[in-house]
Amino acid sequence: MAQQERAVRTRKALIDAAAAVFAKEGYVPSSLAAISKRAGVSNGALHFHFASKKALARAVEEAATDVVHELVRLSGGASASAVQALVDATHRLAVRLSDDIVVRAGFELGAERVLGAGAGLVRTWHGWVEETLHRAEAEGHLAPGVSPGDVAAVVVALTVGVEVLAGDDPQWLAEQRIAGVWELLLPGFVTENALVHARSRSE
């Protein structure tokens, strides 16, 4: 049991270290030696857990995807509208992008298309955003003529753009900045009734 727990800790340390190195240096220039050094393990221990740098990148992206699945699950209360769930999820995501190097690296790996077009955290996030906007449409909260797909594209583009800009200035992920974006966006795609009940900030 102690050996199994040690293996779990080593694997997590390697994923965290890889995320930090990928986020700082980019996937292509990064080396397994730098990752093992940062994790405090030998190259042999790294290769025991991960056969290649690509396998390690996949593990980082999978760990980041798990976090995003959990944050969208928590967004919005049981009675919250789809629009509010979307707003809340972007705020939760901004916090994780600020605090969690694995989530940040997951988005950056997706942008670099390290694992191919069929993978990527951005793709996962896009799917959830569009699904939520279709639910908002079914609830009658989208303004007439508004396409869930078009709004989803805008939200995802803004999310990815803010993540990139935050690399130089963390204030791009500040709560007031995200709230300001929603104050501009919401009147453009929701009904007046939905706008009255929507909060641009997460609670």
Side-chain angles (χ1 to χ4, degrees):
M1 182 63 72
Q3 185 175 3
Q4 185 178 10
E5 290 175 355
R6 186 162 56 250
V8 170
R9 288 197 301 271
T10 300
R11 180 181 172 84
K12 184 179 186 307
L14 286 165
I15 291 172
D16 291 346
V21 173
F22 292 155
K24 181 180 180 181
E25 300 179 8
Y27 174 78
V28 174
S30 64
S31 69
L32 292 177
I35 292 168
S36 61
K37 181 178 180 180
R38 187 179 182 95
V41 305
S42 67
N43 286 334
L46 186 154
H47 285 288
F48 175 80
H49 289 278
F50 300 101
S52 65
K53 186 167 71 169
K54 192 167 187 177
L56 194 45
R58 183 174 288 107
V60 170
E61 213 170 28
E62 287 173 353
T65 299
D66 288 343
V67 172
V68 171
H69 279 311
E70 180 63 11
L71 75 83
V72 296
R73 185 186 68 81
L74 294 172
S75 297
S79 60
S81 68
V83 169
Q84 192 61 55
L86 181 58
V87 172
D88 291 350
T90 58
H91 279 284
R92 289 178 184 272
L93 181 58
V95 171
R96 296 312 292 258
L97 287 169
S98 295
D99 299 342
D100 193 328
I101 191 65
V102 172
V103 175
R104 192 154 67 248
F107 270 92
E108 291 174 8
L109 287 168
E112 291 186 62
R113 302 176 76 83
V114 169
L115 302 176
L121 186 53
V122 172
R123 185 183 180 94
T124 300
W125 172 244
H126 188 184
W128 181 82
V129 170
E130 187 161 0
E131 176 185 314
T132 302
L133 284 160
H134 278 289
R135 183 157 63 90
E137 182 179 47
E139 292 171 352
H141 293 161
L142 294 193
V146 169
S147 161
D150 288 347
V151 179
V154 170
V155 172
V156 173
L158 285 169
T159 304
V160 175
V162 164
E163 188 276 327
V164 171
L165 291 166
D168 292 324
D169 181 4
Q171 284 304 304
W172 281 98
L173 295 171
E175 182 184 11
Q176 61 267 29
R177 182 67 58 85
I178 305 301
V181 169
W182 281 115
E183 286 168 7
L184 288 172
L185 283 182
L186 286 171
F189 75 89
V190 302
T191 63
E192 289 187 14
N193 182 58
L195 185 60
V196 168
H197 294 93
R199 302 183 311 273
S200 61
R201 296 177 184 268
S202 179
E203 292 184 358

